[in-house]
Amino acid sequence: RLWNLNQMGKTWDEDAYVEWGYNFVNLAIKGDFNNPYWYKISASPPLSSYLFGFPAKFDVNRFDTKGKPVFNYDYTHVRLVSVISSSLTVILVVLFGWKYLSFFVGSLAGIILAMLPLFIGYSQLATLESLIILFFTATVFSFFNFLTSFSKKHAVFTGILLGLALEVKYT
């Protein structure tokens, strides 16, 4: 995923996710929770904003005359979040297949997922899809672990992952 990361071009929503994340993280670091930006930007999914906001600091090229950041065109550091998320998803799919089906099925499922054109594209862009599929896959894997060995620990962990999966997409 890394060899052509900066050759992807941009999508229409990357700018918004990066800017929202950068602003939310800066406001949180400053402790400025009374700023109207917190409630004016209600379309931003909270967890994804924070996950994209921290690396966005490294993609700032300069600041304009109003003090707003102007980001590098490629969003290299922010896109690394998607690359890592999608790579972890492939690993989870492989582990899921190994644990519940067979070595062959797990390996083949990981290869198929890693080679799907849509998955390849989304895994290199600063969009919600790579984060959604990571937390969804982790939640399903955790839920299957809970079903095979009932324990409060598994139930709580599955609930936390489900909450994170919802926080990636919904406000």
Side-chain angles (χ1 to χ4, degrees), residues 58-116:
F58 300 106
D59 283 326
V60 173
N61 186 8
R62 60 182 170 80
F63 292 92
D64 66 9
T65 56
K66 296 179 183 177
K68 289 182 66 176
V70 176
F71 296 98
N72 295 324
Y73 178 79
D74 295 325
Y75 299 131
T76 305
H77 297 90
V78 177
R79 287 179 176 177
L80 286 175
V81 173
S82 290
V83 169
I84 292 168
S85 298
S86 61
S87 299
L88 290 174
T89 303
V90 171
I91 291 169
L92 283 174
V93 166
V94 169
L95 293 175
F96 185 88
W98 287 354
K99 183 170 184 174
Y100 293 107
L101 298 166
S102 70
F103 179 81
F104 176 75
V105 171
S107 301
L108 191 60
I111 291 170
I112 290 171
L113 177 62
M115 296 300 157
L116 287 174

Side-chain angles (χ1 to χ4, degrees), residues 5-132:
L5 185 63
N6 289 335
Q7 298 170 359
M8 289 297 296
K10 284 172 98 169
T11 62
W12 65 273
D13 53 352
E14 280 186 297
D15 288 330
Y17 294 139
V18 172
E19 183 181 337
W20 291 339
Y22 179 85
N23 290 334
F24 282 130
V25 167
N26 276 344
L27 289 172
I29 289 172
K30 292 177 187 174
D32 186 4
F33 296 104
N34 294 324
N35 192 309
Y37 194 84
W38 288 102
Y39 60 85
K40 284 186 177 178
I41 308 296
S42 61
S44 175
L47 182 59
S48 56
S49 291
Y50 303 128
L51 292 175
F52 289 144
F54 285 109
K57 292 182 157 295
F58 300 106
D59 283 326
V60 173
N61 186 8
R62 60 182 170 80
F63 292 92
D64 66 9
T65 56
K66 296 179 183 177
K68 289 182 66 176
V70 176
F71 296 98
N72 295 324
Y73 178 79
D74 295 325
Y75 299 131
T76 305
H77 297 90
V78 177
R79 287 179 176 177
L80 286 175
V81 173
S82 290
V83 169
I84 292 168
S85 298
S86 61
S87 299
L88 290 174
T89 303
V90 171
I91 291 169
L92 283 174
V93 166
V94 169
L95 293 175
F96 185 88
W98 287 354
K99 183 170 184 174
Y100 293 107
L101 298 166
S102 70
F103 179 81
F104 176 75
V105 171
S107 301
L108 191 60
I111 291 170
I112 290 171
L113 177 62
M115 296 300 157
L116 287 174
L118 191 62
F119 185 75
I120 290 172
Y122 282 134
S123 70
Q124 294 174 308
L125 297 171
T127 60
L128 302 181
E129 284 74 11
S130 59
L131 296 172
I132 291 169

Side-chain angles (χ1 to χ4, degrees), residues 134-153:
L134 169 66
F135 286 108
F136 174 79
T137 305
T139 302
V140 170
F141 192 23
S142 178
F143 182 69
F144 269 76
N145 286 335
F146 168 71
L147 290 177
T148 57
S149 60
F150 291 100
S151 73
K152 286 183 181 180
K153 181 179 83 170

